[in-house]
Amino acid sequence: MGSIIFIVLIFGLMYFMMIRPQKKQQQKHQEMMSKLQVGDKVVTIGRLHGVVDKVDTDAKTVTLDCDGIYLVFDRTAIMRVDHIEAVQPAATVDTDVASATDDKTADVEEPKEPTDDSVKDDSDK
């Protein structure tokens, strides 16, 4: 009777240590693949970095733009997805920079002219 409990305990331990974390990882990867969209930066399982150019759900493939070279991969070859955040419009950035530079212009020192002591006469040579 004790050996049966020991075997059940070992199978339960194996489930919680190996099978359950692997299922969670597979679910996380499936969720990541379902959110894959054009413009996302991705890394393949071969450590190739690129930007998603096209996603074909019927053929289960992804076309990546790798510095002008377009490569087609299976969706399962994608290891990691880095979603690109929306960028602020340039007009708001320029106004912030202009106001910051206006405040700092008063603190800029004029360049100093060399004094007579620092200038040596080359005629002695």
Side-chain angles (χ1 to χ4, degrees), residues 6-25:
F6 182 70
I7 292 173
V8 170
L9 185 66
I10 292 209
F11 279 115
L13 185 63
M14 285 178 55
Y15 174 77
F16 282 107
M17 295 298 286
M18 294 175 22
I19 299 171
R20 190 168 179 249
Q22 185 177 9
K23 283 186 179 181
K24 281 187 175 184
Q25 187 177 18

Side-chain angles (χ1 to χ4, degrees), residues 53-99:
D53 185 59
K54 185 172 97 174
V55 178
D56 188 359
T57 54
D58 296 333
K60 296 182 181 178
T61 60
V62 177
T63 303
L64 298 183
D65 178 9
C66 303
D67 293 332
I69 300 171
Y70 294 90
L71 303 170
V72 179
F73 289 95
D74 289 339
R75 288 177 61 125
T76 56
I78 304 297
M79 180 180 69
R80 185 177 73 221
V81 177
D82 298 328
H83 297 286
I84 299 174
E85 298 295 326
V87 180
Q88 287 183 343
T92 58
V93 174
D94 290 339
T95 57
D96 293 340
V97 171
S99 65

